[in-house]
Amino acid sequence: MDLGANIGSSADYASLVTWWQDAGLDVLVDETPRDWLAKVDPPVAAPAATVATLAIAAAERPKTASVAPPSAFPDSLPAFQAWLTSSETLAIPLAARVAPSGDAASGVMMLVDLPETDDHLSGRLLSGAAGQLFDKMIAAMGRDRDSLYLAAMAPGRPAGGYVDKASGMLFGELARHHAALARPRVLLLMGEQPSRAFLNMGFVEARGRVHDVRLAGGAVPAIATFHPRTLLQHPEQKKRAWEDLQLLMKALG
């Protein structure tokens, strides 16, 4: 169908929705207005800096970007889990934190971007309608929440669900360190941001194959798929999501 034409049938509508999905649209409406037309300046190569210059720059960074580098994060999974829920160096209120859940020794780590709006009230990731769909997805694999490891890139949901560039980079570092400590046999990346953090590409482009992700301690096979909230908005994509889960089961052997 022509993109400028009127939508005249359900088939035309489905075609348009699929086009937007393949273009990388992940969320129809967010909770905070954004300036989609804001100018984004290209990165500028920085001149060589001295150790003193780097120290001054680090001291002047906002709180969301001033957390210690990955090498200084706790180096055991239990210690890192505790740090995520209690560290005051992270600019997310403690009451908004939601801990990872499940069994890290299961071999399967599933990663989302942020806790859902009410996850901090229930105390678990993927609550509400998205969680109900998630439970059905993993049940189709013969699993439940106790037989996998579920985590979010961010330890809590920022106000309004908005993540700025500095925080996004930090959450990516946290997620990669988290996965390195969990050492899953297979990593499932649910949604756009986990896919970009680990694979440097959107999940629409990344899905359909197994990727090798280089982490501290070795490579981990990773598969990209839809976030359950996207499947609630686009139920016609559930067939593709099931294909991704089948790929995950095949990778596990």
Side-chain angles (χ1 to χ4, degrees), residues 43-98:
V44 179
T50 64
V51 173
T53 302
L54 291 174
I56 294 173
E60 293 177 347
R61 289 174 185 166
K63 188 175 182 181
T64 53
S66 62
V67 177
S71 60
F73 295 151
D75 59 4
S76 73
L77 185 58
F80 184 69
Q81 291 170 331
W83 182 86
L84 287 175
T85 58
S86 63
S87 174
E88 295 184 356
T89 61
L90 295 169
I92 295 177
L94 296 180
R97 310 281 178 95
V98 185

Side-chain angles (χ1 to χ4, degrees), residues 213-233:
V213 175
R214 297 287 178 181
L215 299 173
V220 174
I223 297 168
T225 190
F226 300 83
H227 191 293
R229 79 168 76 96
T230 303
L231 296 175
L232 290 175
Q233 297 162 352

Side-chain angles (χ1 to χ4, degrees), residues 5-216:
N6 293 327
I7 299 176
S9 69
S10 59
D12 288 341
Y13 175 78
S15 175
L16 182 59
V17 168
T18 301
W19 187 91
W20 281 114
Q21 183 68 52
D22 290 342
L25 182 64
D26 188 51
V27 178
L28 292 178
V29 180
D30 203 353
E31 296 148 335
T32 302
R34 303 188 188 187
D35 184 0
W36 294 100
L37 300 180
K39 180 180 178 182
V40 178
D41 295 326
V44 179
T50 64
V51 173
T53 302
L54 291 174
I56 294 173
E60 293 177 347
R61 289 174 185 166
K63 188 175 182 181
T64 53
S66 62
V67 177
S71 60
F73 295 151
D75 59 4
S76 73
L77 185 58
F80 184 69
Q81 291 170 331
W83 182 86
L84 287 175
T85 58
S86 63
S87 174
E88 295 184 356
T89 61
L90 295 169
I92 295 177
L94 296 180
R97 310 281 178 95
V98 185
S101 62
D103 181 10
S106 66
V108 180
M109 181 175 183
M110 298 187 177
L111 191 71
V112 296
D113 51 359
L114 302 170
E116 298 299 290
T117 304
D118 295 331
D119 282 359
H120 68 289
L121 299 177
S122 65
R124 70 172 191 168
L125 293 169
L126 289 178
S127 59
Q132 293 173 14
L133 178 55
F134 174 74
D135 290 338
K136 292 178 181 178
M137 292 167 65
I138 60 176
M141 299 172 55
R143 289 179 178 261
D144 57 21
R145 291 183 183 237
D146 292 331
S147 61
L148 54 85
Y149 186 56
L150 176 62
M153 293 178 63
R157 188 176 183 86
Y162 177 74
V163 178
D164 60 26
K165 183 177 180 180
S167 295
M169 293 178 63
L170 169 62
F171 295 154
E173 292 176 355
L174 292 175
R176 293 182 68 89
H177 186 71
H178 199 163
L181 294 178
R183 298 182 180 179
R185 290 172 55 199
V186 181
L187 177 64
L188 185 69
L189 306 170
M190 295 188 287
E192 188 72 6
Q193 298 311 316
S195 179
R196 291 197 177 278
F198 283 81
L199 306 178
N200 199 29
M201 65 180 76
F203 81 92
V204 172
E205 178 185 0
R207 52 174 304 277
R209 61 190 187 276
V210 179
H211 305 261
D212 282 333
V213 175
R214 297 287 178 181
L215 299 173

